[in-house]
Amino acid sequence: MKKYLLPIFLLLACQAKESSAPEPVLPIPSERQLAWHELEYYGFVHFNMNTFSDMEWGMGDEKPSQFDPSELDTRQWARIVKDAGMKGIIITAKHHDGFCLWPSAYTEHSVKNSPWRNGDGDLIQELREACDEFGLQMGIYYSPWDRNHADYGKPEYITYMRNQLTELLSNYGDIFEVWFDGANGGDGYYGGANETRRVDKKTYYDWENTFELVRELQPNAVIFGDAGPDVRWVGNENGYAYETTWSNLLRDSVYAGMPEYADMYASGQENGTHWVPAEADVSIRPGWYYHEYEDHKVKTLAQLLDIYYKSIGRNASLLINFPVDRRGLIHEKDEEQILKLAEKIKEDFRENLVLKAKVKASNERGSDFSAKKMIDENPETYWTSEDGKIQSQLTFEFDQATWINRFMIREYFPLGQRVRKFSLEGDAGDGWKLIAEGTTIGAKRILRFDDVEVKRVRFNILDAKAEPLIMEVGIFDAPKLVTEPVIKRKKSGEITLEVPEEGVDIFYTIDDTTPDGTSLRYEEALVLDAPLILQVLAMDQSSERKSEVLRFQIEISKAEWLVLHENQDAEKAIDENPDTFWQSDNDELIVDLGEELTLEGFTYLPPQNRYMRGIISRYSLTVSQDGKNWKEVSSGEFSNIKNNPVEQRVSFSPSKAKYIRLKAIQTVDREPAAFAELGVISK
């Protein structure tokens, strides 16, 4: 009998080894980070003094009397956020201008000195109650920079900042995220000093002790910043994560506001030392704060859906901002669009076809980690391979030919992010064909591709840091979405409209009516010279599905415009092509408009390429009727333009001009001023 015992013991030992969980691959998430990962999707609310001053970054010299919302209703915010499928709200408790949405005991620059609620209001408390009612979590945005406070830049300000953080994190219940902005230092009111103050971003805020205070007051809250320590900025304000996005970060190499962060660290690092996952932030409009002139610029459903897939679908959370209007409400158009997105997400993922498939893996670690664990809808279970088995194949076989266009996969990331490279193949009965390929997976990866008919689908893990762990897989056939037309305009004023899909017609109006299938059909380029509103719609006649209506403000054409500069490339600043730009050698752009016009404003588009240089942050616009005598009609700041390089639209009192000159007083990188496009707003 003894001769059988040793083989039995060896067999049991091998089975135990195969059934044991793999060792974690460091770094791994903390408990607070795991709770944050479960949220995935939540709302940002930018509502503060800037809402009433019509600015993006207030200077700090605004008066509390300016803050006076007429219908403020945080329950409306919470209802919309809840209906959108989001799980929390982060509120701008104090932005760069220093105005506080709660009655802080440490400043007079707060709601307690505003006419709202007769000075007895506390917006943070009202939001707390609304979040509790609708089952949402609440987060706090707090700007370290304060353009109002007299002590900013001095040690005394750090005490002030921590006193306010203590108020916010002690008096309003559980906070799920504390959001610190990386923008700090520069021009400001500073208690009447009206000067520029720079700080050492690495040392001034004494982040180590500031973070310790947050941990003490809100131990379950994650802290957001460029360097984390818990959640990092995705590096842009478009809402997009990267094709390769690691949750790992070389955290000790990063500090808040570092100029090279977006290029060097935003996508994470495979060899990162700490778990600091990415949060993708984006506003539902071009600006972060409400501006009435952006009411027709709310992102379309196609744009919002693209953001969803390129953020949550690329291993990031998604934070969508609502610029609450001067009433104190999320605008009707913003509500309409975000609820369209919620419905479309439900539609795209309504039926998980993988539940109808036979699933198998090229190898398994044992019954506790079998391929079936990927489709049991239990986030605590997962498939994994045997020790040392990196390359693996997951195959899904259908009983009959099936159309698909989405593939979703999630790693079991509590034990670390592992997969480096993968591919997806389909077989319709005539052999395997490549559908898609990529690199990282992480918390969630969603692949979008054209409709493919398959009988089998195969996911190939080609490379990983250790044995791959997959907790969930989904295969879907999402209904088509007709995208809105893309408008292109030449300097001559000629306008072309394009859609990527075949079999789609374009309809348009220029009489301020909403287009439909009976409106003017687009068949050839349009020549529009006078200021007017162009509205366009795409429609798939076979399915009767249609895009959203886009509204464009068409200004006078630039056919007769001339840049007064010897460099021929200077014409790129008025060529109506957003992908070209000109960098001036004297920080200014002078344009002969060809005729005298009555101007009511101007537009400036900064360079749109990846490595943007010379973006204007402070400007002066002057006009002239003869090209010799100039009058300044506008000057100021393009706030947040580095991180949100959208078209800047500035209005001023009507002025007659044949010549305009836009001069850069300051650029974000001290490089010579660059102009992608200059335009005018005329009667």
Side-chain angles (χ1 to χ4, degrees):
M1 188 67 182
K2 290 182 179 179
K3 66 180 180 181
Y4 297 108
L5 292 178
L6 183 58
I8 290 172
F9 288 149
L10 290 174
L11 177 61
L12 291 173
C14 289
Q15 288 177 339
K17 184 177 181 181
E18 288 177 359
S19 298
S20 63
E23 291 295 316
V25 172
L26 300 178
I28 60 174
S30 65
E31 288 297 319
R32 67 173 68 91
Q33 289 172 318
L34 286 173
W36 171 86
H37 273 290
E38 291 179 9
L39 300 178
E40 191 176 74
Y41 181 37
Y42 38 96
F44 217 173
V45 167
H46 273 62
F47 178 67
N48 207 294
M49 185 61 74
N50 293 331
T51 309
F52 300 91
S53 62
D54 206 20
M55 298 179 70
E56 284 290 292
W57 289 2
M59 292 299 294
D61 59 351
E62 300 81 13
K63 305 299 182 185
S65 58
Q66 293 176 250
F67 185 85
D68 192 15
S70 57
E71 303 174 44
L72 190 140
D73 184 0
T74 56
R75 294 184 71 259
Q76 186 240 19
W77 309 356
R79 174 185 58 78
I80 292 170
V81 165
K82 182 76 171 181
D83 289 347
M86 299 177 173
K87 297 180 180 178
I89 300 176
I90 298 177
I91 177 69
T92 51
K94 178 177 81 79
H95 205 254
H96 309 326
D97 56 82
F99 186 76
C100 301
L101 295 182
W102 75 103
S104 175
Y106 299 96
T107 182
E108 297 304 307
H109 200 51
S110 83
V111 290
K112 68 185 181 184
N113 289 315
S114 77
W116 175 65
R117 304 277 194 260
N118 296 316
D120 296 324
D122 185 340
L123 194 148
I124 306 302
Q125 180 59 35
E126 291 190 19
L127 181 59
R128 171 79 274 167
E129 293 169 4
C131 285
D132 289 345
E133 179 181 347
F134 285 87
L136 299 170
Q137 298 203 38
M138 190 172 86
I140 294 293
Y141 166 109
Y142 183 91
S143 171
W145 186 17
D146 194 316
R147 300 172 103 172
N148 171 267
H149 204 280
D151 287 336
Y152 181 79
K154 304 174 184 177
E156 291 82 356
Y157 175 75
I158 304 305
T159 301
Y160 170 77
M161 181 177 79
R162 289 177 181 160
N163 284 336
Q164 289 201 319
L165 286 171
T166 298
E167 289 179 318
L168 288 168
L169 303 182
S170 300
N171 300 332
Y172 300 101
D174 291 337
I175 302 299
F176 84 92
E177 182 168 339
V178 180
W179 212 99
F180 290 114
D181 203 311
N184 46 78
D187 295 347
Y189 176 69
Y190 303 126
N194 288 314
E195 61 188 17
T196 300
R197 294 185 182 178
R198 304 288 178 190
V199 298
D200 186 332
K201 298 178 181 181
K202 294 181 181 179
T203 62
Y204 175 62
Y205 299 103
D206 185 19
W207 285 120
E208 181 178 354
N209 287 308
T210 299
F211 292 160
E212 185 178 334
L213 175 66
V214 176
R215 295 282 191 242
E216 176 187 342
L217 299 174
Q218 292 285 340
N220 296 321
V222 294
I223 301 173
F224 169 94
D226 291 358
D230 300 314
V231 178
R232 75 175 189 268
W233 181 41
V234 79
N236 63 74
E237 294 184 356
N238 301 319
Y240 296 165
Y242 306 90
E243 286 286 352
T244 298
T245 299
W246 290 95
S247 293
N248 311 333
L249 182 71
L250 292 168
R251 196 177 74 184
D252 294 340
S253 301
V254 183
Y255 63 90
M258 67 185 302
E260 61 272 28
Y261 171 80
D263 292 329
M264 294 180 60
Y265 296 98
S267 60
Q269 293 82 42
E270 178 186 331
N271 62 336
T273 52
H274 294 78
W275 187 270
V276 189
E279 179 184 87
D281 59 329
V282 64
S283 186
I284 200 166
R285 294 167 175 243
W288 288 89
Y289 279 94
Y290 178 79
H291 309 289
E292 186 178 0
Y293 60 80
E294 292 181 349
D295 282 351
H296 69 285
K297 294 186 177 182
V298 181
K299 287 181 171 57
T300 65
L301 175 56
Q303 291 170 328
L304 290 171
L305 192 64
D306 196 48
I307 288 168
Y308 179 88
Y309 280 111
K310 290 181 178 178
S311 56
I312 290 174
R314 290 181 179 174
N315 189 34
S317 69
L318 176 56
L319 177 62
I320 291 186
N321 176 65
F322 300 101
V324 167
D325 65 25
R326 294 183 181 184
R327 296 171 300 173
L329 301 175
I330 293 177
H331 193 273
E332 293 82 354
K333 185 63 176 177
D334 300 12
E335 176 182 4
E336 177 186 353
Q337 294 305 99
I338 203 65
L339 295 185
K340 283 182 182 178
L341 175 62
E343 186 56 38
K344 182 57 180 168
I345 292 170
K346 289 178 184 176
E347 184 182 53
D348 282 8
F349 299 102
R350 183 159 286 141
E351 182 182 11
N352 189 351
L353 300 174
V354 80
L355 301 178
K356 298 180 178 180
K358 297 183 182 71
V359 56
K360 66 177 182 178
S362 56
N363 65 81
E364 295 177 347
R365 199 177 185 86
S367 60
D368 289 343
F369 305 98
S370 70
K372 292 183 179 179
K373 300 298 182 181
M374 297 183 296
I375 59 172
D376 64 1
E377 299 181 305
N378 182 351
E380 299 301 322
T381 62
Y382 54 91
W383 161 85
T384 187
S385 60
E386 302 167 350
D387 279 344
K389 294 286 187 180
I390 301 299
Q391 294 185 339
S392 302
Q393 296 174 335
L394 308 174
T395 305
F396 309 90
E397 185 173 347
F398 298 100
D399 291 336
Q400 58 188 21
T402 303
W403 287 95
I404 66 171
N405 53 28
R406 302 285 188 275
F407 186 87
M408 183 274 293
I409 188 165
R410 304 185 67 198
E411 287 188 77
Y412 186 74
F413 57 88
L415 293 180
Q417 188 176 349
R418 299 164 179 248
V419 176
R420 293 188 180 111
K421 187 178 181 182
F422 64 80
S423 67
L424 182 70
E425 298 173 302
D427 175 20
D430 55 353
W432 292 106
K433 294 181 174 59
L434 183 67
I435 296 175
E437 54 189 346
T439 51
T440 50
I441 298 175
K444 183 177 285 187
R445 186 67 186 262
I446 306 174
L447 305 175
R448 288 186 292 175
F449 43 88
D450 292 335
D451 293 347
V452 178
E453 190 176 29
V454 297
K455 291 183 178 178
R456 294 187 298 166
V457 176
R458 184 167 69 187
F459 187 82
N460 305 301
I461 297 173
L462 305 175
D463 192 18
K465 298 174 72 174
E467 299 85 6
L469 282 65
I470 304 300
M471 76 158 82
E472 186 180 1
V473 170
I475 300 175
F476 306 90
D477 181 24
K480 283 284 184 295
L481 178 68
V482 178
T483 56
E484 57 276 358
V486 174
I487 183 171
K488 295 182 179 179
R489 193 183 193 198
K490 295 181 180 180
K491 186 181 177 185
S492 64
E494 181 181 278
I495 291 174
T496 56
L497 301 170
E498 301 174 359
V499 287
E501 299 94 348
E502 294 182 1
V504 174
D505 294 317
I506 301 175
F507 299 91
Y508 70 94
T509 62
I510 55 175
D511 59 1
D512 211 25
T513 60
T514 302
D516 56 27
T518 65
S519 301
L520 295 169
R521 186 192 302 269
Y522 173 79
E523 295 177 340
E524 60 182 1
L526 309 173
V527 179
L528 303 175
D529 186 40
L532 53 80
I533 301 296
L534 170 66
Q535 297 189 77
V536 297
L537 167 78
M539 180 178 292
D540 184 336
Q541 299 284 30
S542 61
S543 66
E544 295 189 352
R545 283 181 171 260
K546 56 187 179 182
S547 75
E548 296 186 331
V549 174
L550 283 191
R551 180 183 171 95
F552 298 99
Q553 175 66 57
I554 304 298
E555 301 292 350
I556 62 169
S557 78
K558 303 175 182 178
E560 303 302 321
W561 289 23
L562 179 66
V563 176
L564 302 184
H565 199 284
E566 295 178 356
N567 190 330
Q568 298 263 334
D569 283 344
E571 288 295 315
K572 291 178 179 178
I574 57 170
D575 64 359
E576 294 282 19
N577 184 350
D579 296 324
T580 64
F581 71 95
W582 174 63
Q583 197 160 15
S584 170
D585 55 6
N586 62 353
D587 287 329
E588 67 180 26
L589 173 66
I590 302 177
V591 177
D592 180 348
L593 302 176
E595 61 178 321
E596 186 177 277
L597 301 171
T598 299
L599 305 184
E600 296 182 334
F602 77 97
T603 61
Y604 164 69
L605 182 72
Q608 300 294 292
N609 61 320
R610 177 172 170 77
Y611 300 103
M612 296 171 288
R613 298 173 299 166
I615 296 177
I616 300 173
S617 56
R618 295 193 65 81
Y619 72 89
S620 170
L621 186 91
T622 52
V623 299
S624 174
Q625 292 173 290
D626 58 8
K628 299 177 182 178
N629 300 295
W630 295 87
K631 178 181 72 171
E632 184 176 81
V633 292
S634 182
S635 63
E637 174 184 76
F638 295 138
S639 301
N640 198 35
I641 192 171
K642 178 181 178 181
N643 296 325
N644 193 27
V646 298
E647 181 184 78
Q648 308 294 305
R649 188 177 180 91
V650 179
S651 299
F652 50 75
S653 299
S655 297
K656 293 186 180 297
K658 185 175 182 291
Y659 301 87
I660 58 172
R661 176 172 62 193
L662 179 60
K663 182 173 181 60
I665 307 303
Q666 182 177 307
T667 61
V668 297
D669 54 5
R670 305 300 191 268
E671 289 276 330
F675 306 81
E677 207 66 34
L678 177 67
V680 298
I681 303 168
S682 61
K683 276 191 169 184

